Amino acid sequence: GVSPKCHSFSFSCIAGGKMRRFLRPGHDPVRERLKRDLFQFNKTVEHGFPHQPSALGYSPFLRLMAIGTRSGAIKLYGAPGVEFMGLHEENNTVMQIHFIPDQCQLVTLLDDNSLHLWSLKQHGGASELREEHRFTLKGPPGSSPSATQITAVLPHSSREVLYLGTESGNIFVVELPSFRVLEDRTITSEAVLQRVPEDYCNRRSCELVEALRERPKNPDQILIGYSRGLIFLWDLAVVYLSLQQLENLYWQRDGSKFVSCHYDGSYTQWPVSSDNRQPEPLEHLVPYGPFPCKAISKIYWQTTKNGLPYIIFQGGMPRASYGDRHSISVVHGSQQTAFDFTSRVIDFFIIFSSEPTAEFDDPSAMVVLAEEELVVIDLKTAGWPAVHPPYLASLHCSAITCSHHVSNIPLKLWERIISAGSKQNIHYSNMPWPIDGGTSIAPDPPQRDLLLTGHEDGTVRFWDASGVCLHLLYKLSTVRVFLTDADPNDNMNTLGEDEWPPLRKVGTFDPYSDDPRLGIQKIYLCKYSGYLAVAGTAGQVLVMELNDEDAEHVVDHAEADLLQDQEGYRWKGHEKLKTRDGPVRFEAGFQPFVLVQCQPPAVVTSLALHSEWKLVAFGTSHGFGLFDHQQKRLVFVKCTLHPSDQLALEGPLSRVKSLKKSLRQSFRRIRRSRVSSRKRRGGSGNASEVQEANAKFDQDTLQEMELAPVQRKIEARSAEDSFTGFVRTLYFADTFLRDSSRHCPSLWAGTNGGTVYAFCLRVPPAERRMDEPVRAEQAKEIQLMHRAPVVGILVLDGRSTPLPEPLEVAHDLSKSPDMQGSHQLLVVSEEQFKVFTLPKVSSKLKLKLTALEGCRVRKVTVANFSSCKTDDYSENDLAVLTNLGDIQIISLPFLKLQIRYPCIRKEDVSGIASCVFTKYGQGFYLISPSEFERFSLSAKWLVEPRCIVDMPEVTSNNHVHTKSGMENAARKSR
C-alpha cells in the first residue's frame, strides 16, 4: 500500500526538479519584489545645449522661453529647474515658435508647413507640455504650394485667432484652438494692391509676406510687410513704400511709429497717421555704411525714461570685411557695441517691461540663441556684461573627450571649488536670471554631486550635477604648464577705442584647439583630500591640489620610460608637449605640482589615484607605471608590449586601415589650415562643422581600441592579436596577495590581451614616509584563457563588500573592510565576469555574456542601490553597459543577472563610449556633442524636472505685442 505513494512522491520530486530547472535563474518571488523596490529605469532629463536649435520664442506673460530644434524637439525653460520637453511626431525642423498672448499655450510651425498647438496643463500636481491640435493650411484645388506656404505667424492679442502670411502674399485668419480657416477674413494680395498707387503696382507684385505686426493699443490694425518693400497698415489702408527689400518690422511702444529693416543693411523709421495715406519716412539709416552691408534681419526700438532709445539689430555689418561675422548691435545714445558670436545667430529677443500701463520699454536683458550656445546680455549694467546662465550650458565649447563623476562631495571641498569658480566669473553680471517663469517643485537633491568633463583644449570643467540644472562651477586649464602657439594672456575682448565696427566677442563656444595633444583623456578626483589627477593625449599626467589663492611655483617634472627594457622599438607618433621653464603662475583652484611624462608620449588609457598612499598609477598602450607624488619619485614602470605590438608604436592614427588613416590626416590638415586662415583673417569659419567633425574624428581615433572588439570573432584570441599591451584598467587595493595572514597595499592592472598584473607595494608609515622609498614587486600575473580585454578589476572583502575608497573610512563614511574573512578578486573582461579567491587566485565563479549576440562589456561600475520602501536596506551591485547599448545589473558576489534595460541605440557608438555611471545608480551619456542624457537605474533616487506654471492674472486684454519673430530666419533657412 505504500508503494504508489512512494512512486507519486518520487515523481513529484523529479517533476519539481525539472520545473526548477526550467524556471528563470533567481526566480524567487521575495527577491522579485525586492528588485522592484531597488531597480527602476528612467531617462530623466537632458543636460546641456540642444543640438541644432532652429527656433526661439518667448512669453513675457509666462516668463518662459521656448527652443525648437531641427529634429522636431521643443524645449521650454523658465526659472532654474523649470523645464518641459515635447517632440513632434514628424521629426521635422521647427521653424517658428509663438506663444499665445496671456495663455499657457504656444504654436509651432514646422518645415512641412504644419502648425501645432501646445498647452501647459496640470496633471498629478505638476504641469505637463502636451500637443493639443495640428493643422496644415490647404489651398483651393489646383493651387500652387506657395499659395499656402506659411512665412509669417501672428497670434492676435484677442487670443482667438492666428494671422498666417504666405509666400503668395495672401494672409489667412484661423480660429483658435480649432484651426478653422475664417475665409471671410482672408486678406488677399489683390485687395492690398487695389489700394496701392498704380505706378508702384506696375513695377512690383506684393511677393511673400515677410512680417505681420499688431499695432499696440489698436488690435484691429495689422501691419503687413511684403518682401519687395511694400508695407501696408491693414484697416487704415495706409501704404508705406520702400525701395529696399524688407526683412522685418517692429512697432514702437505707443504705436505712433514703427521701424522697418532691410536687405541692404539699413533701417527706416515711419510715422503713423490716419489722414496721410502714404507717409514719408522720418529717418533712414545705414548704421555701418557707406560700403555695402549685410541685411539687418531683425530690429527692436526700445524706449527709456531718459529719452534715448535702445536700437538693437541683427546683422548690418560691412560685407567685404565682416561678412562672416554673426553679430547683434546695441546702440544707446553714444554707446554702441556689436556683440560678435562664434556661431550663427538663430534668433534673439529683448526682455523689457510688459506691464500695459508702463510708459516706457526700459529693456533689461537681451537673450540670444546662437547655433552652439545661449548668450544673455545685461542691458541695465554699465558695459553690458554677459549673464552666467544657470542651465543650457554649452558643454561642447571645446569638444568633450572624457567624463568623470564624483558623488556625495564633502561641503568643504564643494565650497572651495565654488569659491575658485566665483573668482573666474568676475566679468559676469550679477543680474538675477531674467527668464524666471514657473516654480520648481522637485525635492532638493539628496547630495552634492560633481560631473567633471575633460576637453580637447586641455581644460576640465566642474559641473554641479546634483539636480536638474547642470551648472558650471569652475573651469581648470592645464595649458599654462605647456608651451603652445596660444598665449594664455591673449584677451579676445580687447577693443581699441577707435575701432569700427565696435565688435566685442561674447560666448564661450570655441571649437578650435591650439594643439590636440592637450586633450584630456582621464580624470580622477579624490573628494576627501582634494587631490586631482588628469592625463592627456600626449602621455602627460598632472597631479594637482586645491589652493584657495593664486600662486606661482615650479611644476616638478618626471619621465616614465615605458619601453626601457625593450630594444628595437621606435615611436612614430606625435611628440610630447614642451613644458615651460621656471615658475608658472596659476589662479586659485586646482594647481599642478608635478607632471609625469610617459615615453613614448602615447594617449593615457587608464589612471588611478590613491590619496592616502600619495600614489598615482597610469597606463598607455605600452605599459603602466607608478609614481609617488609625495616624494615626487617614479616607483616602477612595467612594459606590457608583446613582440607583435608594433602597431602600438605608430600613434593613434595608425590603428585603423590606411584609408581611414589618410582621411583623418587629411582632415587634420584641413582643420589646421582652417585655423591658420581664420587666425589670419580674424573670422570664425564654419564653427559648428569644424567642431562636430573635430570631435568625431579625434574621438574615433582615441576610442578605436574601445570600438575594435565589436569586429572581433568571439573565439579565444591569440597573443599575436594587435594591441594586447594596451592597459585598460588600474586599481589600488589593500588585500591579501602573498599569503592569507598578511594584507598589503597592491596595484592591479588589466590589459587588452586579457592579462592581469598584480604588484605588492610597500608604503612606509607616515612618520618615515619622506625618508624611505615606496617599493613595488610583481606578485601575480593572470592570463585569462579567452584573452578578452580586461575592463574592470575589483576586490571584495570578507563580507563580500567592495573595498572602500581611499580615506573613506578615515572620514567615517564607510565601515572598515573585513580583513578576517578571505578576500575575492573580481575580474571583468569584455566577455565574462570571473571571481577568484585570494591570495591563491583560484577560479571560484564566472558569468559569461551571451556569445551569440556579440555582446561585449563596455563600462562597469559598482553601484549602491537603496530600497524605495525602507531606509534600512541597500545592496551593492554591478552596473554594466554593453556594446549593444543595454544596461545590466549583476549581483555581488554571486554574479546573478538581476535585470536588463535597453538604454542607448547600439548604433550610437559615441554615446556608448561616453557613458559614465554614478555610485548611486544614475548615469550620463552624450546624445549629441552638446547634450548629456541623464538616466536612473535606482527606484529611490530620481533627478527629474517637476514644476508648475500657474496662469498669471491678465491685467489687460491687449498686451503690448512683443514679437518672438522667427519669420525671417524661417524663410532664409528654407
Side-chain angles (χ1 to χ4, degrees), residues 360-598:
F360 303 102
D361 293 312
D362 283 328
S364 57
M366 175 172 75
V367 179
V368 183
L369 176 68
E371 201 162 35
E372 305 291 354
E373 63 186 324
L374 185 83
V375 177
V376 178
I377 304 295
D378 174 359
L379 298 176
K380 287 283 191 194
T381 304
W384 300 331
V387 182
H388 199 47
Y391 47 68
L392 284 171
S394 183
L395 299 175
H396 64 319
C397 35
S398 169
I400 292 177
T401 45
C402 66
S403 306
H404 174 66
H405 187 276
V406 190
S407 298
N408 221 355
I409 302 291
L411 180 60
K412 182 71 177 164
L413 176 65
W414 187 261
E415 288 172 342
R416 291 177 72 192
I417 290 170
I418 289 174
S419 170
S422 65
K423 290 172 185 171
Q424 297 176 332
N425 293 336
I426 52 172
H427 302 300
Y428 281 100
S429 162
N430 292 322
M431 165 191 259
W433 183 242
I435 304 160
D436 56 4
T439 308
S440 173
I441 55 170
D444 289 336
Q447 58 196 30
R448 292 171 295 274
D449 286 358
L450 274 180
L451 179 67
L452 281 65
T453 52
H455 297 263
E456 190 190 46
D457 63 356
T459 59
V460 178
R461 284 170 170 80
F462 288 63
W463 305 93
D464 177 356
S466 319
V468 170
C469 295
L470 192 70
H471 181 59
L472 182 65
L473 297 177
Y474 162 71
K475 182 179 99 172
L476 158 73
S477 175
T478 61
V479 178
R480 283 185 180 274
V481 179
F482 305 103
L483 287 168
T484 61
D485 296 339
D487 181 352
N489 298 316
D490 280 353
N491 185 357
M492 295 173 79
N493 281 336
T494 49
L495 191 64
E497 279 184 28
D498 303 323
E499 189 172 330
W500 190 262
L503 286 161
R504 187 174 118 203
K505 231 3 156 218
V506 281
T508 58
F509 177 73
D510 181 9
Y512 301 98
S513 171
D514 296 309
D515 190 330
R517 294 175 298 171
L518 288 166
I520 305 295
Q521 295 302 323
K522 295 289 170 189
I523 305 169
Y524 196 104
L525 171 68
C526 172
K527 62 186 178 185
Y528 304 112
S529 64
Y531 282 116
L532 171 71
V534 297
T537 303
Q540 70 270 32
V541 180
L542 285 161
V543 187
M544 315 188 186
E545 58 186 337
L546 195 51
N547 187 346
D548 299 327
E549 302 298 330
D550 293 9
E552 191 169 5
H553 60 254
V554 174
V555 177
D556 288 293
H557 293 187
E559 282 218 343
D561 180 7
L562 296 168
L563 298 180
Q564 57 185 14
D565 299 329
Q566 304 287 328
E567 289 182 10
Y569 284 106
R570 191 169 62 84
W571 170 247
K572 301 171 191 170
H574 50 237
E575 291 180 4
K576 68 176 184 178
L577 284 158
K578 292 186 173 67
T579 53
R580 289 179 187 273
D581 294 327
V584 182
R585 183 153 192 83
F586 298 102
E587 56 185 20
F590 286 94
Q591 299 172 350
F593 61 89
V594 68
L595 163 69
V596 183
Q597 178 62 56
C598 299

Side-chain angles (χ1 to χ4, degrees), residues 772-823:
E772 297 176 16
V774 173
R775 300 195 185 281
E777 186 183 346
Q778 185 169 334
K780 308 278 183 200
E781 183 174 329
I782 307 161
Q783 178 62 59
L784 301 178
M785 295 299 288
H786 58 300
R787 297 185 186 275
V790 176
V791 294
I793 296 172
L794 184 68
V795 171
L796 305 174
D797 71 6
R799 290 188 294 263
S800 298
T801 302
L803 294 182
E805 291 177 30
L807 295 174
E808 196 173 5
V809 175
H811 283 74
D812 295 328
L813 291 165
S814 171
K815 288 181 184 172
S816 296
D818 184 333
M819 293 301 195
Q820 304 307 312
S822 59
H823 285 197

